Amino acid sequence: AVNKSLTAAILLLGRSSSSFIQGIARDKRTSSASTKLLSMVQTEKKISPPVPRREEDRVVYAGVPPEGWDPKMPRQANDSTEGLLDPAVPIPDPYGWLRDDKRSDGEILDYLKSENDYSQSITEHLKGLQDTLYQEFLSSIQETDYTTPRPRGSYWYYTRTFQGSSYQTYCRAPKTTDSYEIDWDGTKESPILPGEEFYLDVNELAKGKPYCSVGSVKTSPSKKLIAYSVDYSGDEKYEMHVKNLETGEDLTLSEVGSGKLLEVDGLEWGKDDETLYYMTMDEQHRPFRLFQRKNWKSDKPKDTLLKEDLDDLFWCGVYKSLDDKHVFFESASKETSEVWYLSTEEEGSQSEMSCVAPRRNKVLYEVEHGHGQWFIWTNVDASPNMKLMTAPAEPNSADEWKLLEDASGNPIFDGSLAKSLDSVTVLNTHIVIQGREGGIPRVWTFDIESKVAKRLEFDEAAYDVGLLAHYETDTKSVAVSYDSMLTPPSSIEISLDDDAQRAVLKSKVVPGYNKELYGCNRMEVLSRDGKTQIPISVVYSNDTMEKVKAGDRVPVHLYGYGSYGACIEADFRSTRLPLLNRGMIYVIAHIRGGGEMGRQWYEEPNGGKYLCKENTFNDFVDVARFLIEECKWTTADKLSCEGRSAGGLLIGGAINQAPELFRVAILGVPFVDVACTMTDSTIPLTSGEWVEWGNPNEEKYHSYMMGYSPMNNIQTGKKYPSCWLTGGLHDPRVAYWEPAKFTASLRHANSKNENPICMKLDLSAGHFSASDRYKYYRELAYDFSFLLDQLK
C-alpha cells in the first residue's frame, strides 16, 4: 500500500522509456521521394505486405554529440566516468523516417493503417475462430463480479464490474461491524453489502472516449471527497479531478497561472481535505516535481513546490505512510535512491522537506514509518538483496540504521542470497514483509512485541501470493491474494496471532473450469554455462500430457520477460484455458534479468543486466532447446513464443539467435530498437534507462549492445518464424515506430520467407493495450487466432 508508484513505473512492466530525436545524415531528396509509400499489391483477396521506403543513408549517431545536437540533452549520465565514442559511430536507421513524435504525419499514419490492413487480410479467414476464442474468454469469467471489500474508516471499499459494461465501478458500503457476510444473488441490481453506493463509475467517464484509464483514486481524510486521475489517450498523461461524494460535483483541476489542464503522475491527500499533493512530469515524461496545493476549491489555489529532481536518471513519486503521519517524495534510478519527507502535522506551517538519508551511489533504499521509527529496506554495504533495518524517525538517519533482529538476535532479513525482500507494511502489532525464497513469492509476519518472525505457508509447491490493499494499521489480521497455475485467485484472511486461523473471503469464480482436468510442474533447466539452473513453470491438460507420455509431440507455448528484476509468477490466467483445451502446453521461463531468484538473478555479474544481458536471451533459447531435445514434448514446428514490452526484446533476441527453433512468435509492444533508442535522450525516459541497459554512447557498452539489439542483428536469408507484432500509437514507453521498423526490417532481410510477418497497431491505445476489457479480449483473440492458425 506504500511507495510503489516508482516500482510500478519502472516495471509495468514494461520498458519505462519512450523516445527522442537523433542526429540524421542523409542526402537531399525530392518531395515525392520523401513522401512516397510503395503501394500494396492486391491480388484477389490476398494483400501483399506493405513495403515502406528505405533511406539507406539515414543513421543515428552513438557517442559524442553529432552536429546540431541540442546541448541541453545529455549524451550520458552526469556522474558517468565512462568515455564517449569519439568520433561518433553511425548506426543504420533506414526506417527512421517512421518516427513522428506528434503522431500526426499523414504518410506515416497511412503506412500504419496499411499494416493493419495487411494483418487483417492475413487473418480474414480466422474471424470464426476469433469469435469462438472471444466467447471462450467471456465464458471463463464472471462478467458481473466484485473485488474483496477492504476496511477503511467507517466504510468497506471495493469495485464491481457488470455484464456488458467495459469498465469497473468504485463502490463502498457503511462499516457497522469489523466483519461482513455477503448475501448476493449475482445480479447487477443486488448490492454486495447493505447501503452500497457507487462513488466513481469509470463507464460514465469513458462515454464517448476511445480510451479511458483511471490512474489513482484517493479517498480524502473525511471520506467525503475523492481525488482521482484519468488518461483518455493512452499516453499516460493523467488529468486530475476532485469529486464531492455528497453532491456529485466533479472538479477538473488546472495549472496555477496558465489555466491549462493539470497533468499529474501521482497524487495524495494531506492531513485534511484542504491539502493535496501531486507530481508533475517534465518534457521527457519523467515525474520530477512534487507540489502541495492549498485552497484547491477556489479560483486562486495556492501551489507550493516542495521538491524536484532535475537529474534525468531519477524517476520520482509521492506516497503517504500507512499511519498517515508523513508524505514522502521518493527519487530513484534503478541503482540509487533518496527519500524526503514532510510531517502531515506540520504541512500547514512547514514547506521544507527533510531527507531520510542523502543519496549514495548504488545504494537503494525505501522507507515506511511506524512506532516512531523508519523501517528501511536497503542494499547498503553492497548486499546482494535488500536487508531490513530501523532507525529513529529523524532526518539524515543513515548512521543510525540498524538491522531488525528477532528475539534471538538474528537479523530478519540480512540481505544475503537466501531470500529477497520487496516490501514492508507496518501495523500496530506486526510488521508484514513481502519477498521471495526458493524462487517463490512469500509473506512473513513479525510480532513487534515478541520479536518472532513467521513465514506464511501454503499447500502447493509453486504459487503466487501477495497482500491485498491495507488502509489501516489497527488490525488483528491480514488479507492476502493467493493463486497458482491451477488454482484460481482467492482472498484469504489470516490471523496475525495464529496463522492457522484462516478464512476465505472470496474465491474467483471461473465458470466451467475443473481443476482436476489439468496439471502443472515446476522444473529446472541447466543453462549453457553449465552451472545455472533456470526455473520453469508448466501447465497443461492431463489429456495432453498423456499423449506426450505415449510419444506424441504437441504444441508448446513459451512465455518470458527477463528485465528490470521483474517477476513473472506461476499464477492463474483463465485466458490460457483456450490454449490448454486445444492440446497446448504452456511454459513460463523464469529467466535471468527477472527477479524470481532474488536481485542476483537480475544484477551483474551473473544476472541479466548491463554486460550480462545476453544471459536473458541465452536462457530462453536454452529452455526452448530443452523442451524439444530433452523433454521431447514438442518440435520446432510446434513451438511458439511470446513476450511483451521488454519481453518483446527477449523474443526479438531469441528469434535472431535461433530462428529455426520457433514456428510462431508474438511480440507485444516490443522494445526492439535498443541501440538507436538508447543513444537518444530526446526520446522520453531514455536517459533513465542507461542504468538498466547501459549507454551505447559510451565505449564500454556500445559494442555489447550492438551485439544483441534485435533491430541490428536480424539474420538474412533465414526462415524466421511467423511473427505477430503489436503496438499502440500513443505508447510513451515503447514508441509505435519500434514494432513498425522491426516488422519492415524482418521482411526486408528475408524477402523469400514464406512465414507472414504481421503488425497490428492500435491507433487509440498506449503501452497497456486496450483499456476496455471487452476490447482487450477481442485483441487477445486476434493474437491467439494467429498463433493457432500458424501452428496448424
Side-chain angles (χ1 to χ4, degrees):
V2 297
N3 65 324
K4 289 293 157 263
S5 60
L6 171 68
T7 303
I10 289 175
L11 298 183
L12 283 142
L13 284 195
R15 188 183 99 79
S16 60
S17 97
S18 294
S19 5
F20 55 30
I21 297 177
Q22 227 3 99
I24 296 174
R26 55 184 168 180
D27 293 334
K28 294 181 179 179
R29 295 174 180 79
T30 63
S31 58
S32 61
S34 66
T35 59
K36 181 180 179 183
L37 172 67
L38 298 180
S39 62
M40 297 184 300
V41 179
Q42 185 166 352
T43 59
E44 299 177 355
K45 293 184 179 180
K46 292 291 183 181
I47 297 178
S48 298
V51 185
R53 56 184 166 81
R54 287 175 60 88
E55 298 180 355
E56 300 294 352
D57 58 342
R58 178 184 281 262
V59 300
V60 297
Y61 285 104
V64 295
E67 184 177 353
W69 183 260
D70 184 349
K72 292 184 294 185
M73 303 308 299
R75 299 295 284 182
Q76 62 185 154
N78 294 332
D79 59 355
S80 176
T81 59
E82 301 296 332
L84 291 172
L85 292 164
D86 191 2
V89 175
I91 301 174
D93 189 25
Y95 297 113
W97 66 273
L98 286 171
R99 173 181 171 177
D100 172 28
D101 291 343
K102 294 182 179 180
R103 276 75 169 171
S104 61
D105 184 280
E107 180 191 10
I108 294 173
L109 291 174
D110 286 345
Y111 165 69
L112 298 176
K113 291 173 184 176
S114 74
E115 285 286 2
N116 282 345
D117 290 342
Y118 172 68
S119 296
Q120 184 174 358
S121 77
I122 291 294
T123 58
E124 186 73 24
H125 65 292
L126 300 176
K127 286 185 176 180
L129 177 58
Q130 290 164 8
D131 289 342
T132 298
L133 288 167
Y134 176 72
Q135 292 302 323
E136 289 179 20
F137 293 148
L138 293 188
S139 70
S140 63
I141 65 171
Q142 189 168 294
E143 293 181 68
T144 300
D145 204 352
Y146 66 95
T147 58
T148 304
R150 301 297 299 140
R152 186 169 195 173
S154 56
Y155 290 93
W156 298 103
Y157 286 83
Y158 52 98
T159 63
R160 293 189 66 176
T161 54
F162 300 99
Q163 184 175 16
S165 296
S166 298
Y167 299 92
Q168 64 185 356
T169 298
Y170 289 80
C171 310
R172 69 180 185 181
K175 179 187 169 190
T176 56
T177 63
D178 288 338
S179 61
Y180 58 82
E181 290 187 9
I182 292 178
D183 182 20
W184 178 54
D185 64 10
T187 64
K188 294 182 180 181
E189 296 75 22
S190 176
I192 303 302
L193 292 172
E196 176 180 277
E197 62 178 277
F198 299 166
Y199 65 89
L200 184 65
D201 186 351
V202 183
N203 297 286
E204 289 296 319
L205 298 181
K207 282 185 176 178
K209 307 287 197 308
Y211 183 92
C212 180
S213 176
V214 171
S216 299
V217 179
K218 303 287 184 177
T219 308
S220 72
S222 73
K223 310 299 184 289
K224 296 179 180 180
L225 307 167
I226 59 167
Y228 71 93
S229 60
V230 60
D231 168 20
Y232 288 121
S233 69
D235 61 3
E236 298 179 51
K237 294 180 179 178
Y238 291 85
E239 56 185 64
M240 184 172 171
H241 295 248
V242 176
K243 181 179 179 180
N244 187 314
L245 302 185
E246 295 181 330
T247 66
E249 179 186 7
D250 193 312
L251 177 66
T252 304
L253 300 192
S254 302
E255 293 180 0
V256 172
S258 72
K260 294 180 181 179
L261 197 69
L262 180 61
E263 294 180 344
V264 303
D265 181 73
L267 56 91
E268 288 286 356
W269 288 97
K271 181 184 177 182
D272 53 40
D273 290 8
E274 304 303 315
T275 307
L276 284 165
Y277 297 88
Y278 65 87
M279 297 291 305
T280 61
M281 296 179 288
D282 64 13
E283 294 180 355
Q284 303 307 311
H285 212 84
R286 179 184 66 94
F288 79 123
R289 281 181 176 155
L290 173 62
F291 287 90
Q292 179 194 77
R293 174 164 291 195
K294 295 280 191 180
N295 303 322
W296 56 266
K297 303 174 195 174
S298 73
D299 294 335
K300 295 182 179 179
K302 179 184 177 183
D303 273 1
T304 302
L305 176 62
L306 294 180
K307 200 67 190 169
E308 67 178 356
D309 195 325
L310 301 179
D311 191 326
D312 288 345
L313 265 64
F314 287 78
W315 185 288
C316 305
V318 60
Y319 67 97
K320 191 159 65 168
S321 60
L322 187 59
D323 64 8
D324 291 331
K325 292 185 178 181
H326 295 88
V327 172
F328 293 99
F329 172 86
E330 181 180 42
S331 178
S333 72
K334 296 174 184 67
E335 295 184 337
T336 304
S337 64
E338 184 177 64
V339 180
W340 295 70
Y341 69 95
L342 179 69
S343 168
T344 54
E345 293 293 332
E346 299 175 354
E347 64 186 6
S349 59
Q350 176 71 23
S351 60
E352 292 287 332
M353 302 192 84
S354 300
C355 187
V356 173
R359 68 182 59 169
R360 289 164 282 178
N361 189 41
K362 296 197 174 182
V363 173
L364 289 165
Y365 73 93
E366 298 186 65
V367 182
E368 176 57 304
H369 177 267
H371 306 275
Q373 299 183 91
W374 302 135
F375 287 83
I376 301 156
W377 48 113
T378 175
N379 66 344
V380 68
D381 298 325
S383 59
N385 283 302
M386 297 294 194
K387 50 175 71 80
L388 181 54
M389 311 184 83
T390 61
E394 298 173 353
N396 302 313
S397 62
D399 292 340
E400 303 295 324
W401 292 4
K402 295 180 180 179
L403 286 168
L404 180 63
E405 297 178 339
D406 63 18
S408 300
N410 299 313
I412 304 302
F413 280 82
D414 61 6
S416 67
L417 297 173
K419 55 187 179 182
S420 62
L421 188 164
D422 295 327
S423 71
V424 176
T425 301
V426 182
L427 306 175
N428 285 2
T429 61
H430 288 74
I431 313 298
V432 184
I433 304 156
Q434 297 184 87
R436 306 185 73 82
E437 192 170 21
I440 305 296
R442 311 284 188 180
V443 177
W444 291 263
T445 62
F446 177 74
D447 188 309
I448 295 173
E449 183 176 350
S450 68
K451 296 188 176 181
V452 172
K454 293 181 180 179
R455 192 180 80 181
L456 302 182
E457 302 295 343
F458 301 91
D459 293 336
E460 293 176 285
Y463 53 81
D464 183 25
V465 66
L467 283 183
L468 290 178
H470 284 74
Y471 304 111
E472 300 177 329
T473 61
D474 186 12
T475 179
K476 296 179 180 179
S477 62
V478 292
V480 302
S481 176
Y482 175 91
D483 65 329
S484 73
M485 296 192 88
L486 294 181
T487 305
S490 60
S491 303
I492 306 170
E493 188 171 40
I494 303 175
S495 168
L496 286 168
D497 294 325
D498 179 5
D499 60 47
Q501 294 184 23
R502 303 183 179 197
V504 176
L505 300 175
K506 184 178 187 299
S507 293
K508 182 178 179 65
V509 176
V510 182
Y513 174 68
N514 182 353
K515 180 178 178 179
E516 301 304 317
L517 299 179
Y518 303 88
C520 69
N521 301 109
R522 183 80 163 189
M523 304 168 66
E524 290 185 334
V525 178
L526 184 64
S527 75
R528 67 187 65 182
D529 65 18
K531 58 183 180 181
T532 303
Q533 296 286 350
I534 308 158
I536 63 173
S537 297
V538 185
V539 65
Y540 47 81
S541 75
N542 292 330
D543 287 345
T544 299
M545 192 53 70
E546 287 301 316
K547 292 179 180 179
V548 170
K549 291 176 181 178
D552 287 0
R553 299 292 177 264
V554 301
V556 172
H557 190 58
L558 179 60
Y559 187 91
Y561 187 76
S563 290
Y564 300 103
C567 303
I568 304 299
E569 306 296 2
D571 60 4
F572 184 88
R573 300 289 175 93
S574 63
T575 50
R576 293 184 191 130
L577 293 176
L579 300 182
L580 303 184
N581 294 339
R582 285 171 171 79
M584 183 175 287
I585 296 174
Y586 195 101
V587 180
I588 299 173
H590 305 289
I591 51 181
R592 282 176 284 181
E596 287 89 342
M597 304 303 292
R599 288 190 64 85
Q600 67 273 16
W601 206 239
Y602 165 58
E603 299 278 10
E604 290 184 306
N606 299 312
K609 182 183 177 182
Y610 281 149
L611 298 180
C612 55
K613 184 60 196 172
E614 290 189 27
N615 285 338
T616 302
F617 316 115
N618 294 344
D619 285 357
F620 195 78
V621 171
D622 290 347
V623 170
R625 293 194 191 281
F626 172 82
L627 297 171
I628 294 171
E629 297 172 5
E630 296 189 41
C631 282
K632 301 189 185 302
W633 290 349
T634 191
T635 65
D637 285 339
K638 296 183 178 182
L639 180 61
S640 56
C641 58
E642 181 181 3
R644 178 181 171 83
S645 192
L649 160 65
L650 164 69
I651 302 304
I655 63 175
N656 279 344
Q657 182 181 136
E660 74 283 356
L661 280 183
F662 305 97
R663 179 63 185 85
V664 192
I666 297 178
L667 300 89
V669 290
F671 175 41
V672 284
D673 199 13
V674 184
C676 282
T677 295
M678 293 309 300
T679 60
D680 191 344
S681 62
T682 66
I683 297 177
L685 311 182
T686 290
S687 53
E689 297 282 290
W690 287 335
V691 286
E692 173 69 27
W693 317 103
N695 183 351
N697 290 311
E698 298 174 347
E699 293 180 12
K700 179 177 179 179
Y701 297 105
H702 180 80
S703 294
Y704 187 83
M705 186 178 291
M706 288 296 293
Y708 73 75
S709 176
M711 195 77 72
N712 309 100
N713 288 278
I714 297 171
Q715 298 190 54
T716 58
K718 293 284 186 178
K719 185 177 180 179
Y720 268 69
S722 302
C723 292
W724 184 259
L725 298 93
T726 66
L729 181 63
H730 301 288
D731 189 342
R733 296 173 183 254
V734 179
Y736 72 86
W737 54 81
E738 296 217 15
K741 288 162 67 175
F742 196 58
T743 297
S745 298
L746 283 171
R747 292 197 196 120
H748 177 77
N750 297 282
S751 58
K752 296 182 179 179
N753 184 14
E754 61 191 29
N755 293 326
I757 309 295
C758 299
M759 179 181 72
K760 189 173 188 299
L761 194 84
D762 193 325
L763 299 177
S764 62
H767 190 68
F768 298 105
S769 187
S771 59
D772 177 323
R773 63 172 176 158
Y774 292 108
K775 183 179 178 182
Y776 167 77
Y777 287 131
R778 286 286 185 191
E779 297 297 324
L780 189 59
Y782 255 106
D783 297 352
F784 280 9
S785 70
F786 180 85
L787 170 68
L788 293 168
D789 183 59
Q790 294 300 312
L791 284 172
K792 285 192 305 185

